[in-house]
Amino acid sequence: MSEGRSLSTSWWRDGVLYQIYPRSFGDSDGDGIGDLRGITARLDHLEWLGIDGIWLNPTMPSPNDDWGYDVADFVGVHPELGTLEDLDELIAEAGRRGIRVLLDLVPNHTSDRHAWFQDALGGRDARHRDFYVWADPKPDGSPPNNWQSSFGGTAWTLDEPSGQCYLHNFLPTQPDLNWWSEDVREAFDEILRFWFARGVAGFRIDVTHGIVNDRELRDDPVATAEDHPLIQARGHQQKFSMNRPEVHDVLRRWRVLADAADPKRILVGETYVLELDQLIPFYGAGEDELNLAFNFLFVHAELDAAAMRAIVEAMEELLPAVSWPVYTGSNHDAGRLASRWAGGDPERARVALMMLLTLRGTPFLYYGDEIGLPDVPLDPATALDPVPHRTGQPERNRDPCRTPMPWSAEPGAGFTEPGVEPWLPFGDIAAHNVAAQRDDAGSTLHFTRDLIALRRAAPDLRSGSYETLPAPAGVWAYRRGDGHAVVLNLSAGEATVDGLEGTVALATDRARDGEAVAGALTLAPSQGFVVDLA
Ligand code: GLC
Ligand code: MG
């Protein structure tokens, strides 16, 4: 059997993946902090929902300056989250339910408390000095170049004893690794092998686009009026500080390791680029780099028919035939789709979920998406996230999308013991919780579960081709395979789509499930339909 054919039925193409923020899923030991055993205790929910794989945000030891994205030991487990044995048990218990476990790998930088950096601080001759990116300040004492940290200010900090600066594209306590060093590459080969041997199904790779920095440390160009608004807001194009072409050598090297494992493991990249022609190359020749590359243009698009359709059509056109798209609407940085896309309107959250779960590509849900959980309004002045404080931009607070999962309306929300204060506040647990929605067949939770089940039952919705169908402005309609059509009214007005014959397989308004469709289908605002064309 050819490689292409075997991959086309692989679990990660066919499946639905689910992102878990481990500190906020389930607290097994009553300290107010979610942990690995707390995730294991909730696997039944994920099995019931129909999830095939989970990605855990960082689980490794960390001083938590950036909540786990400052790793102090790449082959351990953070004591607040549990032990290696707890992780083994989670992997085994998930496996028993047909659920794979992906970890978060953070190769761009370490914590400054990592043993490598502590050693590197010993001086220019230290064994691990070259694991990091060092440069002399300019003669006037200013930083070596104009690179800016994504978290505000210069990307360089002076190490006074040695008189050199080290690079940090994020916090000063997150020194960038030097991916020009063969020793760094070999160290990560070992880290990948270590986790593969423990049974992880692969990795979500943090800041994939950024790990290799320009060897000559050339200045980043200033943003222009043509750049995406998020790049204009940053002020510079990260052309040399990140996004170097040599990253592809590293990805090919990792893909060889992932493909050599039995069963094969997968690599999912945080490929934070805002142009599709920069995204596509992360798939390499199609099957020799990342398996999936997150599409941030899609994440940051408005929930608007024309805008989203254009992104998906371009992906369909540009992506190598053997490669596979991935779509998500929420994560621990960008916020939750129920707020960002749907503005708190539950109907709109449902139509967004219908879109995610019916596009050609692997959907990633973020914990809570299945109940239409919105962001929790929190005061940025007391944020645990360092970003609003360092940047002075309160709107960049990421705490609101990292709050504990509301399992029930009981004290402790089913997340922790009654009376225990969770590490981040609960939101309105009476308004949104899993238990109440499980008891209500008309809930968003049942809607999400039914969509996942429909996707599993209908090969068209998993692997069928994508084709845009004619639709009035504000409506996005597409055919999947020969036998299914999806019609999404993303506008604020009523709309009618013509030319559909079949049966409603699933509607955002559950009262319309099973309805016959003969010609015209009329949609109220934020309504969506999956139509079985048979
Ligand atoms: C990625 C993570 C984000 C983190 C940053 C620095 O963007 O998703 O949460 O702060 O990398 O590691
Ligand atoms: Mg705990």
Side-chain angles (χ1 to χ4, degrees):
M1 186 164 39
S2 86
E3 195 68 87
R5 251 177 295 143
S6 69
L7 278 175
S8 67
T9 56
S10 53
W11 73 271
W12 52 272
R13 291 181 174 234
D14 281 349
V16 175
L17 280 88
Y18 185 99
Q19 177 189 351
I20 291 177
Y21 200 78
R23 294 181 70 86
S24 284
F25 204 61
D27 171 22
S28 71
D29 57 0
D31 63 357
I33 300 168
D35 44 56
L36 297 176
R37 284 170 165 273
I39 298 171
T40 304
R42 293 294 184 180
L43 287 170
D44 288 346
H45 168 75
L46 300 177
E47 184 183 20
W48 175 84
L49 190 58
I51 297 301
D52 299 279
I54 54 180
W55 147 35
L56 307 181
N57 281 104
T59 45
M60 295 160 190
S62 164
N64 281 341
D65 288 359
D66 187 23
W67 298 104
Y69 284 102
D70 44 329
V71 176
D73 171 9
F74 287 101
V75 292
V77 168
H78 195 298
E80 284 173 342
L81 302 181
T83 62
L84 266 177
E85 289 67 39
D86 294 337
L87 186 56
D88 290 342
E89 198 194 338
L90 168 56
I91 292 169
E93 284 298 320
R96 229 160 264 150
R97 293 165 176 81
I99 297 172
R100 271 88 163 180
V101 180
L102 307 184
L103 296 188
D104 209 316
L105 184 71
V106 188
N108 182 67
H109 46 263
T110 70
S111 162
D112 64 344
R113 268 136 294 174
H114 193 289
W116 295 337
F117 192 71
Q118 287 300 311
D119 177 57
L121 287 175
R124 296 184 189 220
D125 298 327
R127 186 161 107 68
H128 295 93
R129 184 74 171 184
D130 195 39
F131 269 46
Y132 296 89
V133 183
W134 298 92
D136 294 332
K138 290 201 175 136
D140 67 358
S142 63
N145 64 22
N146 75 350
W147 294 357
Q148 297 292 302
S149 158
S150 295
F151 291 168
T154 172
W156 297 94
T157 288
L158 179 67
D159 165 52
E160 299 217 356
S162 69
Q164 285 195 305
C165 297
Y166 65 87
L167 175 67
H168 51 87
N169 271 305
F170 295 91
L171 297 175
T173 54
Q174 291 172 299
D176 268 52
L177 283 163
N178 170 22
W179 278 91
W180 293 99
S181 156
E182 183 58 24
D183 289 343
V184 167
R185 294 182 185 213
E186 282 172 14
F188 271 80
D189 290 350
E190 285 311 306
I191 292 164
L192 264 70
R193 286 201 195 95
F194 174 88
W195 290 112
F196 290 164
R198 282 203 109 91
V200 310
F203 295 103
R204 175 270 189 184
I205 300 164
D206 193 56
V207 199
T208 303
H209 56 291
I211 60 180
V212 180
N213 321 111
D214 184 43
R215 203 166 202 172
E216 296 165 37
L217 308 179
R218 284 170 282 186
D219 276 351
D220 275 338
V222 172
T224 73
E226 277 87 71
D227 286 321
H228 190 284
L230 291 172
I231 295 175
Q232 292 190 46
R234 198 187 282 138
H236 289 88
Q237 300 167 355
Q238 292 173 313
K239 182 173 177 193
F240 294 109
S241 53
M242 297 188 178
N243 296 303
R244 299 314 298 155
E246 296 86 358
V247 68
H248 299 289
D249 300 333
V250 179
L251 297 179
R252 280 190 291 269
R253 175 178 184 133
W254 289 344
R255 182 65 180 260
V256 169
L257 288 178
D259 280 354
D262 182 21
K264 289 181 180 182
R265 312 305 156 93
I266 65 165
L267 306 173
V268 183
E270 185 204 19
T271 39
Y272 209 110
V273 294
L274 295 164
E275 288 186 38
L276 291 185
D277 56 8
Q278 292 174 14
L279 177 63
I280 304 295
F282 287 104
Y283 288 90
E287 298 182 296
D288 59 347
E289 296 194 28
L290 296 176
N291 300 77
L292 298 171
F294 276 122
N295 186 332
F296 283 91
L297 213 61
F298 183 85
V299 173
H300 289 295
E302 299 287 320
L303 185 60
D304 169 83
M308 294 205 147
R309 187 175 58 220
I311 294 169
V312 167
E313 285 175 348
M315 282 301 287
E316 290 293 321
E317 191 190 316
L318 297 173
L319 200 65
V322 291
S323 300
W324 192 244
V326 50
Y327 294 106
T328 189
S330 308
N331 66 39
H332 65 291
D333 295 323
R336 296 182 170 282
L337 67 86
S339 296
R340 209 184 60 261
W341 277 348
D345 173 357
E347 290 306 308
R348 232 171 134 64
R350 283 190 191 219
V351 78
L353 286 163
M354 180 173 274
M355 168 184 77
L356 276 180
L357 290 162
T358 58
L359 282 173
R360 195 184 78 98
T362 299
F364 268 74
L365 298 178
Y366 185 49
Y367 78 104
D369 278 351
E370 70 272 41
I371 58 168
L373 188 68
D375 292 331
V376 174
L378 294 173
D379 180 4
T382 55
L384 300 183
D385 179 10
V387 171
H389 305 297
R390 285 192 64 83
T391 60
Q393 296 172 294
E395 68 281 6
R396 288 184 66 184
N397 183 14
R398 298 172 295 178
D399 289 359
C401 62
R402 299 175 173 183
T403 60
M405 180 75 157
W407 294 100
S408 77
E410 308 292 310
F415 167 75
T416 187
E417 285 163 23
V420 171
E421 197 181 330
W423 79 288
L424 277 179
F426 298 122
D428 182 351
I429 60 175
H432 298 94
N433 70 74
V434 174
Q437 293 202 19
R438 255 196 94 147
D439 289 343
D440 173 6
S443 66
T444 297
L445 177 59
H446 279 271
F447 171 74
T448 306
R449 180 174 185 248
D450 292 347
L451 261 176
I452 292 173
L454 178 63
R455 186 186 163 90
R456 195 180 288 258
D460 277 343
L461 295 178
R462 294 197 308 274
S463 51
S465 57
Y466 166 95
E467 194 191 330
T468 299
L469 294 173
V475 176
W476 185 10
Y478 45 90
R479 216 181 52 210
R480 292 296 317 282
D482 291 330
H484 285 80
V486 180
V487 187
L488 310 167
N489 183 2
L490 303 179
S491 77
E494 194 178 273
T496 299
V497 176
D498 292 316
L500 296 173
E501 303 281 342
T503 315
V504 174
L506 192 65
T508 49
D509 172 4
R510 302 308 298 274
R512 298 187 65 180
D513 286 4
E515 211 173 81
V517 183
L521 181 65
T522 297
L523 301 93
S526 300
Q527 275 190 344
F529 293 83
V530 181
V531 180
D532 185 340
L533 301 172

